[in-house]
């Protein structure tokens, strides 16, 4: 794997951000920035060997500083929503930012996606490090985070997360790449197929907060156990979908055996008929948020002046279940002082004929 580093432009505070290009032996590329760990581009071969950029992104660093869609972002400290931003750890309460209506979302107003990380190309890929001071965003404990992005010669984009805190805290790191397997500028993803390896999902209320119920997908439009076009049931008159404007839910990742990949479980599969590009995603995490880009509204403009309209990309965000702290029966995104928090994701690209 070759890694090239370029200047990506100055941040408002004068610091320089960089864009790293990881290129594998087959010519596939991953471009990522040290600003917010954003995945800016992913070039994968279509069925004829032509490289297609399947990740939404922006051309200018200033756009990453402004934007609020989390396009390509590295998310922390806590992915997705926490009701009213209220957290109690060891009997002490913390009020986190309420940056999504009345609730906390993706780490708050200035989460890890708005921080400049330290980047270091290494044998395995690009290593990003960030020390989040105690009290940042009101989260307790100093959190030292390392994230490794890798690109294998068989076109798999791997993400390895590690975090260590000097006090008990919350940790739920994830990635918010929007995929469009027909190319970032190709418009709606509704014709692309999705499959989620899950028999259950966490029911949400009208604010997209899980209410604690884990329900079977069977007999609902959230049954994605067989691959279907994303658009097939997205607009069904089903309360869960209407409230979220489409898919924006957490599925309980099933224990799908995937022998060769130690510790990882298959979470999702997607494909585009147009390009033949397929994506199989694996995680070590208990849940996956499948978000069909319902709130994309064309602003700000993306790469090559592309307006990313509603549902022009989809995200597969592995995670602890959203709002888990309000529901003790869910696995908790808590990190004890001195322990190492670890997670791993693999987005493996392929082709169908
Ligand atoms: C959430 C959406 C939210 C989006 C932000 C997703 O992870 O589930 O509700 O709008 O992130 O772009």
């Amino acid at each position: 794997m070759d890694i090239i580093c370029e200047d990506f432009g100055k941040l408002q505070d004068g610091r320089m951000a960089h864009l790293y290009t990881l290129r594998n032996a087959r010519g596939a590329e991953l471009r990522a920035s040290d600003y917010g760990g954003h995945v800016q581009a992913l070039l994968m071969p279509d069925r004829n060997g032509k490289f297609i950029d399947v990740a939404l992104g922006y051309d200018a660093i200033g756009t990453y500083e402004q934007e609020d869609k989390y396009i390509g972002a590295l998310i922390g400290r806590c992915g997705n929503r926490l009701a009213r931003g209220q957290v109690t750890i060891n009997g002490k309460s913390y009020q986190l930012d309420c940056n999504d209506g009345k609730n906390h979302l993706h780490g708050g107003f200035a989460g890890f996606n708005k921080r400049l990380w330290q980047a270091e190309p290494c044998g395995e890929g690009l290593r990003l490090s960030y020390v989040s001071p105690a009290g940042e965003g009101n989260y307790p404990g100093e959190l030292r985070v390392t994230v490794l992005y890798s690109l294998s010669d068989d076109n798999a984009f791997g993400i390895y997360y590690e975090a260590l805190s000097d006090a008990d805290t919350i940790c739920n790191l994830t990635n918010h790449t929007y995929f469009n397997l027909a190319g970032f500028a190709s418009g709606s993803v509704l014709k692309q197929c999705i499959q989620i390896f899950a028999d259950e999902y966490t029911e949400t209320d009208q604010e997209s907060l899980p209410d604690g119920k884990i329900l079977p997908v069977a007999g609902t439009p959230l049954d994605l156990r067989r691959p279907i076009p994303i658009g097939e049931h997205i607009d069904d008159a089903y309360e869960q979908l209407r409230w979220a404007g489409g898919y924006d839910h957490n599925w309980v990742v099933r224990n799908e055996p995937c022998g060769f990949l130690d510790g990882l479980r298959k979470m999702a599969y997607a494909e585009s008929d147009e390009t033949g590009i397929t994506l199989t995603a694996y995680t070590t995490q208990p849940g996956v948020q499948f978000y069909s880009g319902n709130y994309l509204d064309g602003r700000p403009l993306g790469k090559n002046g592309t307006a990313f309209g509603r549902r022009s990309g989809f995200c597969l965000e592995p995670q602890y279940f959203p709002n888990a702290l309000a529901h003790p029966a869910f696995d908790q995104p808590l990190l004890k002082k001195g322990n190492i928090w670890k997670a791993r994701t693999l987005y493996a690209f392929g082709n169908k004929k």
Side-chain angles (χ1 to χ4, degrees):
M1 184 186 8
D2 294 329
I3 304 186
I4 299 164
C5 172
E6 294 161 272
D7 286 350
F8 197 21
K10 275 197 181 153
L11 298 170
Q12 281 192 359
D13 65 13
R15 290 178 300 168
M16 182 59 82
H18 302 91
L19 187 64
Y20 291 82
T21 301
L22 282 64
R23 188 167 216 267
N24 72 10
R26 286 156 74 170
E29 285 184 9
L30 161 68
R31 295 191 195 135
S33 177
D34 49 5
Y35 180 70
H38 288 97
V39 171
Q40 194 263 353
L42 262 172
L43 272 66
M44 291 294 157
D46 71 2
R47 59 162 71 81
N48 303 313
K50 182 176 164 217
F51 285 98
I52 307 285
D53 183 354
V54 296
L56 275 52
Y58 302 107
D59 284 325
I61 194 66
T63 318
Y64 281 102
E65 285 194 279
Q66 287 162 31
E67 75 98 63
D68 60 358
K69 307 294 192 301
Y70 300 88
I71 290 188
L74 197 171
I75 304 284
R77 294 188 189 188
C78 187
N80 215 283
R81 293 182 176 80
L82 288 172
R84 311 297 182 251
Q86 282 163 11
V87 172
T88 303
I89 300 174
N90 301 335
K92 197 170 167 209
S93 297
Y94 299 87
Q95 178 62 57
L96 306 179
D97 293 347
C98 291
N99 58 321
D100 184 66
K102 296 178 184 151
N103 305 310
H104 182 73
L105 178 71
H106 297 328
F109 290 112
F112 288 179
N113 56 312
K114 300 290 184 196
R115 305 284 169 189
L116 186 63
W117 291 61
Q118 204 176 328
E120 186 198 348
C122 60
E124 299 95 359
L126 180 69
R127 184 175 295 125
L128 296 167
S129 315
Y130 179 65
V131 180
S132 171
E136 185 179 68
N138 268 348
Y139 283 95
E142 178 190 90
L143 191 73
R144 307 182 80 86
V145 191
T146 307
V147 179
L148 179 78
Y149 289 163
S150 71
L151 181 65
S152 66
D153 285 339
D154 55 358
N155 296 347
F157 164 34
I159 311 180
Y160 303 75
Y161 302 88
E162 276 193 11
L164 176 69
S165 175
D166 65 359
D168 294 357
T169 192
I170 304 159
C171 190
N172 192 13
L173 309 175
T174 191
N175 178 272
H176 211 286
T177 296
Y178 287 73
F179 300 100
N180 185 326
L181 301 181
F184 72 85
S186 69
S188 160
V189 292
L190 294 184
K191 285 204 209 113
Q192 296 172 31
C193 283
I194 183 78
Q195 178 176 23
I196 306 225
F197 299 91
D199 304 304
E200 295 167 308
Y201 74 102
T202 49
E203 185 183 66
T204 54
D205 65 14
Q206 291 190 56
E207 292 174 76
S208 283
L209 289 165
D211 57 16
K213 287 192 204 134
I214 297 182
L215 299 180
V217 294
T220 81
L222 282 83
D223 186 351
L224 302 175
R225 291 175 294 178
R226 305 253 168 277
I228 57 162
I230 294 174
E232 191 156 309
H233 289 295
I234 201 169
D235 288 321
D236 281 11
Y238 190 72
E239 201 165 64
Q240 285 292 299
L241 291 177
R242 276 199 291 117
W243 283 350
Y247 295 108
D248 189 3
H249 296 81
N250 169 69
W251 274 257
V252 180
V253 179
R254 186 200 296 153
N255 231 338
E256 189 75 16
C258 67
F260 65 103
L261 295 165
D262 196 24
L264 289 172
R265 291 174 299 148
K266 216 191 244 191
M267 61 173 176
Y269 170 81
E271 62 176 39
S272 158
D273 262 349
E274 217 174 300
T275 56
I277 298 179
T278 65
L279 165 61
T280 311
Y282 304 83
T283 181
T284 52
Q285 299 303 88
V288 58
Q289 188 83 11
F290 167 51
Y291 169 53
S292 52
N294 313 308
Y295 301 119
L296 290 175
D297 58 7
R299 287 186 309 260
L301 290 181
K303 290 183 282 194
N304 295 347
T306 309
F308 297 130
R310 188 164 191 237
R311 300 172 174 169
S312 61
F314 64 87
C315 303
L316 292 166
E317 308 153 60
Q319 59 185 357
Y320 282 90
F321 302 170
N323 203 24
L325 295 165
H327 304 296
F330 291 176
D331 281 357
Q332 297 294 297
L334 292 173
L335 174 62
K336 287 265 174 218
K337 169 183 177 171
N339 286 358
I340 298 183
W341 190 95
K342 284 187 183 181
R344 204 173 143 202
T345 310
L346 203 66
Y347 295 109
F349 292 90
N351 271 123
K352 60 172 202 156
K353 291 297 154 210

